[in-house]
Amino acid sequence: MRIAPLLCLAAALVASTSEAAVRYVIKNRRIEPNQTLAKALHDAQLPDAQVAAVISALEGVFDFRKSRVGDQLRLVMRDGELDFFDYRQSMVDEWQVRRDGEKYVGSKRAIEVEKQVAVVALEIQSSLYEAAVAAGEDPAIGMVLADVFAWDIDFYRDVRKGDTARALVEKFVSKGRLLRYGDVLAATYAGGLVGNKRVFRYVLPDGQPNFFNEEGASAKKTFLKTPLKYANITSRFGSRFHPVLQYLKAHNGVDYGTPIGTPVWAVADGTVTQAGYAGAAGNMVVIRHANGFETQYMHLSRFGEGVRVGARVRQKQVIALSGNTGRSTGPHLHFGLKRNGQYTNPLNQQFPRADPLPKELLPDFLAKAQELTGQMEAVSVAAVAGQATAMP
């Protein structure tokens, strides 16, 4: 398959010298489907010997198995021979091959990344996604907050217009552009339905981070509110008219409409008792939990790494990807919950919280929580002061 040029710069760059003009030609391409790096270089009309030289220079520097469709290539030709080659996957993943005399030398380009701590403030009018965009933030901040409040807030069902969220969060930036969000250090959520939530990140003596409220109680509960970060409930627990079987039938779970391939969480720690095809349920995972609880995840497209009968799984571990297998009318996840062998409604359960901070750690935690609160409030005060100064 031929490569479609990203930007066809056939125009030559000519540099005058005392002896003769040096002709440069720049070729920009992307990796196409079913195309290796070597084939991409051949299709860019690079001579066989120079293709071999580039591949050799990158051996041990770049893992060719990680070459992806859409990766960018740039070849700088000097008088018909390769002078410089650049391979870019992202803002922080870039490899180069430079000519050094009669040989070529490959290296990964060092990208300077700065870690900043900033406050993100969102006011929700319709969704967390749109609130992030309106605030000039990357929509990925919504996923970050969904992680933090996963035990208390279902970001599809519980969000109301006028809710606000604030987070003190790490940002990794390169050349002024956000690469990704890091750890959330503190976060608040004020909701019309869920009330006020405030959590702080605290690293325990064993090195494990966790979130606690301002009094040191764990933000973590024994069960998550949902097995998905975001999802639209398409069918609730109880009797319903079955869309395939065409008769009234008990619906022993909750259906979440979600695209195929959406990561599915284990809602609690447990042991896998079933992982395979189960007829009408399609690909299904069943997990046994403490205190007589069992959860079921149906119509999956794939199972998570290491998910098999007898495997231990952790809360928030991705156990599968959602799908459309079995007796299903469209892509969705069916989530079922049993207690002592009987189905129960997952949406009206009240699960206990995990253990609070040990008393001996409380003074240190409270001091750090106060410091984090001060950082969030300082930004608010500065913003208000700035607005007041700007008033006529």
Side-chain angles (χ1 to χ4, degrees):
M1 183 181 294
R2 292 183 60 81
I3 309 177
L6 169 65
L7 180 62
C8 205
L9 290 178
L13 303 176
V14 180
S16 297
T17 67
S18 57
E19 298 179 357
V22 178
R23 182 179 179 86
Y24 289 93
V25 174
I26 300 175
K27 298 180 180 181
N28 291 285
R29 302 287 191 271
R30 287 188 188 273
I31 295 291
E32 293 286 311
N34 303 316
Q35 188 180 57
T36 64
L37 174 57
K39 187 174 188 305
L41 294 172
H42 281 298
D43 289 349
Q45 298 181 337
L46 192 67
D48 291 351
Q50 293 184 36
V51 170
V54 170
I55 297 301
S56 177
L58 288 174
E59 286 180 351
V61 177
F62 173 67
D63 186 347
F64 298 101
R65 296 170 300 178
K66 295 183 178 180
S67 183
R68 301 192 299 252
V69 173
D71 289 353
Q72 300 176 36
L73 315 175
R74 183 163 69 101
L75 298 88
V76 179
M77 309 297 295
R78 177 179 178 178
D79 288 339
E81 291 194 3
L82 182 69
D83 192 60
F84 176 81
F85 171 73
D86 184 82
Y87 187 95
R88 183 175 181 179
Q89 283 191 329
S90 69
M91 288 184 62
V92 293
D93 292 308
E94 189 171 341
W95 293 263
Q96 298 175 336
V97 175
R98 294 180 177 275
R99 188 168 185 171
D100 184 10
E102 297 299 317
K103 64 179 181 178
Y104 290 94
V105 178
S107 62
K108 182 170 184 180
R109 183 184 175 193
I111 305 293
E112 185 175 336
V113 179
E114 178 187 2
K115 183 174 78 171
Q116 303 173 352
V117 176
V119 173
V120 171
L122 308 179
E123 182 173 349
I124 300 170
Q125 297 300 318
S126 57
S127 70
L128 203 58
Y129 178 94
E130 293 183 359
V133 173
E137 296 288 340
D138 190 303
I141 190 62
M143 306 294 280
V144 174
L145 288 173
D147 268 343
V148 172
F149 290 111
W151 294 274
D152 286 309
I153 304 173
D154 179 335
F155 277 96
Y156 182 81
R157 294 194 307 135
D158 298 342
V159 171
R160 297 293 183 268
K161 183 178 180 180
D163 287 3
T164 59
R166 292 177 66 82
L168 185 67
V169 63
E170 296 172 343
K171 290 183 174 182
F172 291 89
V173 177
S174 178
K175 297 180 180 179
R177 294 185 61 182
L178 176 69
L179 300 177
R180 64 179 178 87
Y181 295 101
D183 292 325
V184 173
L185 306 180
T188 63
Y189 190 92
L193 180 64
V194 299
N196 295 327
K197 308 290 182 183
R198 182 186 292 261
V199 296
F200 301 91
R201 186 177 188 270
Y202 185 73
V203 180
L204 298 168
D206 63 1
Q208 293 298 313
N210 209 335
F211 285 94
F212 301 88
N213 68 15
E214 58 267 41
E215 297 175 350
S218 178
K220 182 177 180 179
K221 292 183 178 180
T222 52
F223 279 70
L224 299 176
K225 291 202 75 173
T226 72
L228 301 160
K229 287 187 181 181
Y230 293 107
N232 173 23
I233 294 177
T234 55
S235 186
R236 295 176 179 269
F237 184 88
S239 296
R240 66 164 182 172
F241 185 79
H242 198 282
V244 176
L245 301 177
Q246 295 293 299
Y247 63 80
L248 195 65
K249 185 179 185 296
H251 188 237
N252 295 319
V254 177
D255 286 350
Y256 295 93
T258 188
I260 293 174
T262 302
V264 178
W265 280 337
V267 297
D269 295 348
T271 301
V272 177
T273 59
Q274 186 174 341
Y277 193 79
N283 292 325
M284 178 169 74
V285 172
V286 179
I287 302 174
R288 184 180 65 247
H289 309 281
N291 300 319
F293 283 101
E294 177 185 284
T295 52
Q296 302 172 340
Y297 312 78
M298 303 180 187
H299 309 300
L300 307 168
S301 59
R302 288 179 54 192
F303 300 111
E305 184 177 353
V307 175
R308 57 186 179 277
V309 174
R312 290 284 300 170
V313 294
R314 306 179 313 277
Q315 187 181 64
K316 273 193 177 183
Q317 179 178 334
V318 175
I319 56 169
L321 302 181
S322 66
N324 189 29
T325 57
R327 192 162 60 212
S328 173
T329 58
H332 76 286
L333 171 72
H334 175 94
F335 174 63
L337 175 68
K338 280 185 175 182
R339 186 170 191 178
N340 298 324
Q342 300 296 316
Y343 282 105
T344 187
N345 187 350
L347 299 178
N348 62 12
Q349 302 299 307
Q350 297 295 325
F351 294 106
R353 293 194 179 275
D355 294 336
L357 270 174
K359 290 183 179 180
E360 63 271 18
L361 296 178
L362 197 55
D364 182 61
F365 166 77
L366 292 176
K368 290 178 178 176
Q370 184 176 10
E371 181 181 344
L372 294 172
T373 299
Q375 291 183 53
M376 282 203 293
E377 292 179 350
V379 173
S380 299
V381 171
V384 171
Q387 292 172 3
T389 305
M391 292 177 62

